[in-house]
Amino acid sequence: MAQKTTYPHKVDPQVVDFTLRATVPALTNAILNVAGIDAQTKGFGVDALRADNVSWVLSRMALEFDSRPEEFSEYTVTTWISDYNRLVSTRNFTLNDAEGHEFGRAVTQWCLFDLTERRALDLTARGDLYASAVVDAPSPAERPRRLRPVAPVTVSEHRVVYSDIDFNRHVNTLRYLDMMFDTLPIESFVEDRPLRIDVHFLSECRYGQTLRIGSAPTPAGLAFEISAADTATPAVRAAFEWK
Amino acid sequence: MAQKTTYPHKVDPQVVDFTLRATVPALTNAILNVAGIDAQTKGFGVDALRADNVSWVLSRMALEFDSRPEEFSEYTVTTWISDYNRLVSTRNFTLNDAEGHEFGRAVTQWCLFDLTERRALDLTARGDLYASAVVDAPSPAERPRRLRPVAPVTVSEHRVVYSDIDFNRHVNTLRYLDMMFDTLPIESFVEDRPLRIDVHFLSECRYGQTLRIGSAPTPAGLAFEISAADTATPAVRAAFEWK
């Protein structure tokens, strides 16, 4: 049976905000980088898939940060795949500070997508390489929650530019998080409150599109919905819940 | 006498564009990160200075990229300080691919800035720690060129948001580069042409300001000037020169 794998990290000066703590998008970037490196190390990363024009696509994620680590502090990201079915693989994460105290965790759900045929592939047909990577340990947090359509109270716009897009000319996952955080009042970052974020990625946004970032208050925080201005289909739905 | 120091790097999937090559802002980020790590390792990094509310501020830089490395490829960033005077320290870089071929180089000029008193400090008064770090090797490229005021032909706007700012609530250096690259037609990234960029950082832009990114063609490429919409003082001037 496979084991969890742990990767060392450090809070570099370029990932802190004015509170001198790592930003949530930067911590999420560390988590997603670890997903990529861990898959690559185990033989099913985007490097091995690229030749077949196949890629991992992030479908849903749940992030919990009890606190944000301070500049220059060291932390670890531990990751493991807990299970998978035909459509979705669940990759988990815990974040621990230098004293071993867990300050964050994430549950991410991925599809394997054939970019040529534009369809999800059957994960159970991938053979032993993937099956042997599963670790017998449950997810460290509640899995990504169901998210309802959002009736926005506030709407801002963002035109998709070169610095927003990935290798596929689609908007980068992290930039969606940035767009949501950028709508928050700057004072909201002063206090380091525990935050849970649930995100669903529903459709892809492309270079040149104008996006509408809608948000509405919820009893526990904020709900977001991002759509291309010229379509009715939402691209991203999310819920922020402060504790 | 001190020696040049070399840091290993790899082109991760999240730093490539649709050409599957590292973006220029990503390569510049690698260069600036190496500047920070090298200064920190040698005892005069932002970690050591933070207690006195002093920081390195990038004043000018010249970047030359003959080509952009491909996804997953390994490269090195070599850095050294060649000289300094009262006001400016010159830090140099060369970038080499896995076969040792030099594909990029940079010359950066830094001031040591007292954030409390809002003034540049005398570098020659910092004693032996800094003097002993100087390497007896010239800059690998022409130093940052003189840049004239720009009469913009095209102007776009950008409002400074949370994801643009650094620990000091000022716009991050890399985001200025993004703003300029984001004005280029997407087709201009297809061909991997050698590019030289000269940048002067003249004044700081803050959270909430609306910036005007002006550009004008030059015989060899493009000239840029970025200013806050409510001031006459330019924040950044730059020249892009394609070979």
Side-chain angles (χ1 to χ4, degrees), chain A residues 20-237:
Chain A
L20 298 183
R21 294 174 181 274
T23 67
V24 169
L27 293 170
T28 309
N29 190 33
I31 286 170
L32 297 179
N33 284 353
V34 161
I37 292 163
D38 197 61
Q40 195 172 350
T41 306
K42 290 171 181 164
F44 45 81
V46 289
D47 55 334
L49 300 170
R50 185 66 49 84
D52 297 328
N53 208 23
V54 165
S55 189
W56 288 108
V57 171
L58 183 58
S59 168
R60 294 181 175 197
M61 67 178 175
L63 305 162
E64 291 184 1
F65 299 108
D66 307 332
S67 62
R68 299 190 279 129
E70 291 180 2
E71 190 181 30
F72 305 120
S73 66
E74 296 187 350
Y75 67 100
T76 58
V77 180
T78 297
T79 188
W80 71 100
I81 298 165
S82 54
D83 56 271
Y84 66 100
N85 59 29
R86 288 170 56 93
L87 270 181
V88 172
S89 167
T90 301
R91 180 180 279 282
N92 307 281
F93 304 85
T94 50
L95 284 77
N96 289 75
D97 66 20
E99 284 72 47
H101 176 73
E102 182 181 305
F103 66 88
R105 58 208 73 80
V107 185
T108 59
Q109 296 178 319
W110 302 78
C111 301
L112 198 58
F113 202 73
D114 186 317
L115 299 169
T116 312
E117 301 189 15
R118 310 293 309 155
R119 64 181 184 87
L121 297 176
D122 181 353
L123 284 166
T124 62
R126 304 298 291 184
D128 286 348
L129 178 67
Y130 199 63
S132 65
V134 171
V135 175
D136 184 22
S139 291
E142 185 190 339
R143 296 199 165 195
R145 292 174 186 164
R146 191 177 285 263
L147 297 177
R148 294 170 177 285
V150 177
V153 172
T154 310
V155 177
S156 61
E157 291 203 340
H158 177 86
R159 194 162 167 277
V160 179
V161 289
Y162 176 70
S163 61
D164 294 326
I165 58 174
D166 64 12
F167 76 97
N168 213 8
R169 301 198 194 202
H170 295 142
V171 173
N172 182 300
T173 305
L174 265 297
R175 295 299 290 152
Y176 288 119
L177 270 193
D178 281 336
M179 288 175 211
M180 295 187 275
F181 275 92
D182 287 343
T183 69
L184 303 180
I186 193 82
E187 303 75 33
S188 69
F189 298 98
V190 174
E191 202 188 340
D192 188 26
R193 291 172 66 191
L195 173 62
R196 176 180 166 104
I197 301 178
D198 290 84
V199 192
H200 293 195
F201 300 96
L202 303 164
S203 66
E204 293 150 333
C205 294
R206 288 180 301 280
Y207 179 80
Q209 287 187 312
T210 297
L211 308 188
R212 292 162 59 90
I213 302 110
S215 67
T218 61
L222 280 171
F224 287 94
E225 194 165 285
I226 302 178
S227 309
D230 51 354
T231 63
T233 326
V236 174
R237 259 184 212 141

Side-chain angles (χ1 to χ4, degrees), chain B residues 157-170:
Chain B
E157 291 203 338
H158 177 86
R159 193 160 168 278
V160 179
V161 290
Y162 175 69
S163 61
D164 295 324
I165 58 175
D166 64 13
F167 76 97
N168 212 7
R169 299 196 195 204
H170 295 143

